[in-house]
Amino acid sequence: MPIWEDRFRENQKKMSSPRRKQPTIMIQKDVSGQRLAKLITYLSMASSRDKTYRFSQYFLTFIKCMMKRSTNFNCLADRVGLLAHNIFIVRKLLRFSQHLETVYDTRRVIRDQRLSLRERFCIVLANLSATIFYFLDHILYFALIGVLKIAKDKMVRIECYSNCAMLAESLLRGLNQLWALNQVQISKLRNMSNGQNGSNGNHNKSLTYLYVDSIKSILDALVLISLIRRDVFGETTTSFLGSIVSAIGMGQLWHTSV
């Protein structure tokens, strides 16, 4: 028997032995552990939990609207709508801790000298709009659970003001993303003119993230406009757009969670 054939068979025996299979099992365990750690990190963030509950709320509302089109699913549609309403209440309860994140982000942005004065001013205004939204949203929560007694027309007005504050935040963040998008494109063109093509990969990733974030901001603004003016879109279209926006937000937070 040739020497190379004998060595070939020995290598096959080594590869098929149980000892050689252990590293594969260990790699699979490491990958599973990393995914579990990433899931724990994702669920530990308040914004991730809010996006997950928001997706559930809008998706269940969309299913309820589709079921309402047939008379055979009226009872089930009412139960799905009740579940979506309960998730809506839970979202308001979980927002009580997001004031601190907004204040911390505002303090970080003010001290960040890498940002221009225009960007810092825009982000601070967006955080101020978010703070107003959270304050009005807390009032609505206490009214819904019966702690505060507010007339129905006043609750509708407060809800409209809170949605306007959230719309202002979405538009300000979208404007800031457009400025950042312009800066990344200018930096990419400058590097290409200087012959530095090695950093184009990072610029492409940044552009992709900013494009997706801009699309999310536009869709989010449409959802908020439909919540302010009920005659713009129907409940089915609003819930469908809300599901898409929430799914994009969940994907972004999952990608950034380490």
Side-chain angles (χ1 to χ4, degrees), residues 21-34:
K21 295 181 180 179
Q22 287 180 359
T24 305
I25 297 173
M26 293 297 294
I27 291 173
Q28 291 177 354
K29 288 182 179 180
D30 292 339
V31 171
S32 301
Q34 290 175 1

Side-chain angles (χ1 to χ4, degrees), residues 101-118:
E101 292 185 5
T102 305
V103 173
Y104 176 77
D105 185 65
T106 304
R107 183 181 178 184
R108 179 188 61 81
V109 168
I110 292 174
R111 294 182 176 182
D112 193 357
Q113 299 298 326
R114 295 173 298 177
L115 299 174
S116 64
L117 182 61
R118 180 177 58 184

Side-chain angles (χ1 to χ4, degrees), residues 92 135-162:
K92 289 186 178 298
F135 176 73
L136 296 175
D137 193 70
H138 295 341
I139 295 175
L140 290 173
Y141 172 75
F142 287 124
L144 287 173
I145 64 175
V147 176
L148 296 176
K149 293 183 179 180
I150 302 175
K152 189 175 181 180
D153 57 342
K154 290 185 178 180
M155 285 188 63
V156 172
R157 200 178 307 151
I158 293 173
E159 185 178 3
C160 180
Y161 292 156
S162 65

Side-chain angles (χ1 to χ4, degrees), residues 31 36 118-119 130 139 163 183 244:
V31 171
L36 181 59
R118 180 177 58 184
E119 290 176 334
I139 295 175
N163 289 328
Q183 289 180 358
I244 295 176

Side-chain angles (χ1 to χ4, degrees), residues 180-192 196-213 255:
L181 189 62
N182 188 26
Q183 289 180 358
V184 172
Q185 288 177 343
I186 291 173
S187 178
K188 182 179 178 181
L189 292 175
R190 187 184 297 115
N191 290 334
M192 290 177 65
Q196 300 176 358
N197 297 324
S199 60
N200 284 338
N202 295 328
H203 286 140
N204 292 330
K205 290 180 180 179
S206 300
L207 287 173
T208 302
Y209 179 82
L210 288 172
Y211 280 133
V212 173
D213 216 9
H255 182 70

